[in-house]
Amino acid sequence: MFKKLWFAILLVLSLSVAAPHAGAQRKAVDAEGHEWWQHAVFYEIYPRSFADSNNDGVGDLKGITERLDYLKELGVDAIWITPCFPSPQVDFGYDVSDYEQIDPIYGTLGDFDRLVSEGRKRGIKIILDFVVNHTSDQHKWFLDAKSSRTAAHRDWYVWRDGKGPNQPPNNWLSLFGLSAWKFDPTTSQYYYHYFYPEQPDLNWRNPAVEKAMFDVTRYWYKRGVAGFRLDAVDTLFEDRKLTDNPLLPGTDKFGRPKTDEKYNKKLPEVHDVLRKLRKVADEHGAVLIGETWTSDINELKEYYGEHGNELQMPMDFMFTEVNKLSPPDFRKQIAAVDGAGGWPVYVISNHDIVRSYNRYGDGVHNDAIAKLMAALYLTLRGTPILYYGEELGMENNDPKSKDEVKDPIGKLGWPLEKGRDGERTPMQWSDGPNAGFSKATPWLPVPPSAKTHNVATEKKDPNSVLSFYRQLLALRHQQAALLDGKYIPLNEDDPNVLSYLRQYKDESILVVLNMSGTEQKVRFSLAPQGFASVKLTALLADLPGSIQASADQLSLAPFSVLIAKLSK
Ligand code: GLC
């Protein structure tokens, strides 16, 4: 049985005064200048799957409004809603056909305004998802663009002649399979689409596109939106000469030759647009979050902008790529992001990534591991973005056969690529039918684990993953050291236990995470932090079995967490 130790434990340990730890982060953080989004906990909502108020099997905005109190109690300060604009729903909203309306499946502009005002009453801000790279092929801009080569919006998209009969302009590939070019017989030219053919890329080299898109942000800022998550920013620009991408060895999951996407991804012009978008955001005190897939820390750094004038919150996806409970790997990634000069943004899962419960769980200690991961990304210096359901220990529910798949990439890539349905299943509100999400059959099935992992059941259980998240988020809001404190890694050569201090003025919080399935003994040398001997007061702990503390040693049960305040 897991035993929880809440505020009750007072451990008095004299910690040894030994050699200083290597590589401590000493960079001061100026707490005075922090903005709201730096102290906020963000929560990502996939609206199709969060709460269905009209019982049609698909979630909606009213459903979200009805659940604001739940989010408030959880400790959420801002919600990012994935696209809820009118859309043919080929890519479930990431194919927008009108940027300034709400899709009727989700409600009306009135429902949206109500969500903003109800959110405001509870101190919860609303962030929208801005699909900047492409529109739907049903957007009026594209319908006009494809009508003739001289149409007013023709140059709003990327059109080219083929290389020859049945030959696309170059070898660029769509992320979602096949070529990135689609032939349009009406005007006998190809148009470019990095994602599905139903998602034609906008031509950001055209100033009219830039203006129209900036106006979209202004429109929503005026409606009370606190910022945007910018979708797919890497692919805004393409090489003017459409140079073929170099081939790489091997094939991808669709069986196509791999290519180095140097001519259609991460072009320097992206940063010009981000700087301009930021200017508009600054006029409205808004925050920009980026979907920034980067291969190294230098690439990530660029998204903050040389003068901190691009994205305030580029997401660190390299963190999600540490796909095992590996203290050395996490340590390395945290140190890199923490030292990058910008404000770190931590995520462990989202609507495109297999849920963390499956990625880190060992099948036996999954709940303990879910709490361990929570304790990691919610105690680091930076802003966490929590994907809905992570706080319950929701798991992926992947389609069992190709016929069940809803996400087109799963249909195309089956069985190697099963698509993203698994991580997008309905929020689990209760152990009732359809997990309390809807009275109708939900658009995606709920997994059997919804019987145990749901809000109603977990609320009653002080040992649940949900109870742990709630305690942890409360702590995060109370403790200045967790919000503003420096990140100081400890015991950097420990392969099993990840430990660090968060230090702010004279307050220090110690976080100890046993990432192994065996009991671990740890001792700390805190003299370099000014502690000759310390009192350790546990603020939050999830320690299966009992905690044993000797003079200078902590015993940690498998996958246990200790968050403790230090005092001299
Ligand atoms: C982003 C979204 C993803 C979508 C794609 C195309 O990667 O997160 O869900 O399919 O952009 O818009």
Side-chain angles (χ1 to χ4, degrees):
M1 270 320 280
F2 296 159
K3 189 170 165 209
K4 281 223 178 282
L5 303 172
W6 303 122
F7 297 76
I9 308 172
L10 179 66
L11 300 171
V12 183
L13 303 176
S14 18
L15 297 167
S16 62
V17 188
H21 65 278
Q25 301 291 304
R26 300 229 169 249
K27 196 163 63 66
V29 176
D30 174 12
E32 314 317 320
H34 287 145
E35 293 180 48
W36 70 268
W37 47 269
Q38 295 175 292
H39 282 189
V41 170
F42 286 66
Y43 187 91
E44 179 192 350
I45 290 182
Y46 199 69
R48 292 184 79 83
S49 297
F50 192 63
D52 179 13
S53 74
N54 62 352
N55 293 307
D56 62 357
V58 174
D60 44 54
L61 295 185
K62 269 192 188 153
I64 300 175
T65 307
E66 284 168 6
R67 302 294 181 165
L68 284 174
D69 286 334
Y70 164 76
L71 296 172
K72 185 72 204 160
E73 275 173 40
L74 177 61
V76 166
D77 308 291
I79 54 181
W80 147 34
I81 305 172
T82 64
C84 52
F85 317 104
S87 159
Q89 303 289 331
V90 172
D91 193 13
F92 300 112
Y94 282 97
D95 45 326
V96 177
S97 54
D98 184 345
Y99 286 101
E100 298 185 355
Q101 280 293 331
I102 296 296
D103 193 299
I105 59 168
Y106 296 129
T108 61
L109 275 174
D111 293 334
F112 179 78
D113 292 342
R114 195 162 158 263
L115 173 61
V116 172
S117 62
E118 289 299 315
R120 198 168 278 146
K121 283 185 200 157
R122 294 164 178 82
I124 297 180
K125 294 184 162 48
I126 310 296
I127 305 292
L128 286 179
D129 204 320
F130 192 25
V131 187
V132 276
N133 176 68
H134 47 268
T135 67
S136 157
D137 64 347
Q138 299 305 308
H139 195 293
K140 64 180 183 212
W141 301 338
F142 189 73
L143 293 177
D144 178 52
K146 67 181 264 193
S147 67
S148 99
R149 289 197 185 198
T150 54
H153 293 88
R154 182 69 171 181
D155 191 42
W156 285 43
Y157 296 86
V158 184
W159 294 93
R160 289 293 190 284
D161 292 329
K163 260 189 190 159
N166 296 322
Q167 281 184 329
N170 65 14
N171 74 347
W172 296 352
L173 297 172
S174 156
L175 179 72
F176 290 161
L178 309 178
S179 162
W181 295 97
K182 179 157 181 191
F183 185 71
D184 177 52
T186 319
T187 55
S188 295
Q189 276 195 319
Y190 287 83
Y191 68 85
Y192 174 67
H193 58 91
Y194 184 74
F195 297 94
Y196 295 124
E198 293 86 350
Q199 295 167 301
D201 272 50
L202 282 163
N203 173 18
W204 273 88
R205 297 193 188 279
N206 182 339
V209 167
E210 192 179 281
K211 176 170 184 322
M213 294 298 267
F214 290 2
D215 284 349
V216 168
T217 68
R218 291 191 180 95
Y219 167 85
W220 288 110
Y221 290 140
K222 284 187 197 131
R223 276 205 118 91
V225 157
F228 289 95
R229 176 263 189 187
L230 302 178
D231 183 62
V233 288
D234 293 341
T235 48
L236 285 190
F237 284 89
E238 299 76 37
D239 173 46
R240 285 179 195 273
K241 291 192 205 136
L242 302 191
T243 313
D244 275 343
N245 280 327
L247 293 181
L248 296 174
T251 51
D252 66 13
K253 59 191 168 193
F254 297 106
R256 308 168 304 182
K258 282 195 179 152
T259 57
D260 172 3
E261 297 176 301
K262 62 189 282 190
Y263 291 111
N264 59 341
K265 246 182 150 176
K266 297 184 180 158
L267 267 57
E269 292 91 323
V270 168
H271 296 281
D272 300 334
V273 168
L274 294 181
R275 274 189 292 275
K276 291 186 203 165
L277 273 170
R278 172 65 180 276
K279 255 196 166 154
V280 184
D282 283 347
E283 285 161 20
H284 297 85
V287 67
L288 296 179
I289 305 172
E291 190 201 11
T292 41
W293 293 97
T294 55
S295 44
D296 59 47
I297 195 68
N298 291 326
E299 272 188 3
L300 184 68
K301 266 176 157 173
E302 285 176 15
Y303 282 109
Y304 290 106
E306 210 183 331
H307 305 289
N309 54 353
E310 296 188 25
L311 303 175
Q312 293 105 315
M313 291 178 54
M315 292 189 250
D316 172 19
F317 288 113
M318 289 172 284
F319 194 77
T320 66
E321 282 160 13
V322 178
N323 264 326
K324 51 183 189 277
L325 291 175
S326 161
D329 290 359
F330 277 120
R331 216 173 268 135
K332 201 165 134 207
Q333 190 53 35
I334 297 162
V337 175
D338 196 73
W343 185 254
V345 181
Y346 291 105
V347 286
I348 60 170
S349 192
N350 76 14
H351 64 285
D352 298 323
I353 304 175
V354 171
R355 282 194 179 270
S356 66
Y357 201 78
N358 301 71
R359 300 207 322 276
Y360 300 102
D362 67 351
V364 178
H365 305 91
N366 285 8
D367 281 8
I369 294 171
K371 295 175 198 172
L372 184 79
M373 287 306 296
L376 171 61
Y377 80 120
L378 300 175
T379 62
L380 289 170
R381 189 187 75 93
T383 298
I385 305 180
L386 219 150
Y387 185 45
Y388 81 95
E390 289 290 293
E391 76 276 22
L392 305 175
M394 265 176 71
E395 62 181 353
N396 254 63
N397 191 27
D398 291 328
K400 310 288 175 291
S401 70
K402 192 174 168 180
D403 297 345
E404 286 177 22
V405 179
K406 295 273 190 331
D407 184 6
I409 62 169
K411 289 193 205 296
L412 198 68
W414 189 271
L416 281 183
E417 167 64 70
K418 293 196 163 87
R420 299 161 292 180
D421 297 350
E423 54 263 32
R424 298 173 173 181
T425 59
M427 175 72 174
Q428 296 163 189
W429 294 104
S430 74
D431 64 358
N434 306 323
F437 163 75
S438 174
K439 293 202 172 83
T441 305
W443 76 287
L444 286 175
V446 298
S449 59
K451 282 277 169 234
T452 50
H453 289 72
N454 62 71
V455 174
T457 306
E458 291 191 46
K459 252 186 166 173
K460 288 185 246 148
D461 175 3
N463 287 337
S464 66
V465 178
L466 178 60
S467 296
F468 190 81
Y469 263 86
R470 286 171 62 157
Q471 306 254 7
L472 187 51
L473 290 178
L475 197 60
R476 199 188 148 84
H477 285 98
Q478 288 153 10
Q479 300 290 336
L482 288 181
L483 289 173
D484 296 336
K486 269 192 296 184
Y487 162 80
I488 303 176
L490 299 173
N491 294 5
E492 290 189 83
D493 50 5
D494 190 324
N496 298 305
V497 181
L498 183 65
S499 310
Y500 46 90
L501 279 188
R502 296 292 314 283
Q503 202 166 54
Y504 177 71
K505 296 189 177 161
D506 54 0
E507 287 176 26
S508 296
I509 290 183
L510 172 70
V511 180
V512 189
L513 307 169
N514 180 2
M515 295 198 154
S516 79
T518 52
E519 183 175 315
Q520 298 293 328
K521 296 196 189 315
V522 284
R523 53 202 293 254
F524 298 102
S525 308
L526 297 173
Q529 280 74 46
F531 294 96
S533 70
V534 290
K535 276 206 280 188
L536 199 55
T537 308
L539 297 171
L540 184 56
D542 180 60
L543 300 165
S546 60
I547 179 168
Q548 283 166 26
S550 68
D552 59 356
Q553 189 163 276
L554 276 177
S555 285
L556 297 160
F559 304 116
S560 56
V561 171
L562 174 65
I563 302 171
K565 195 158 202 155
L566 302 188
S567 46
K568 292 185 187 175

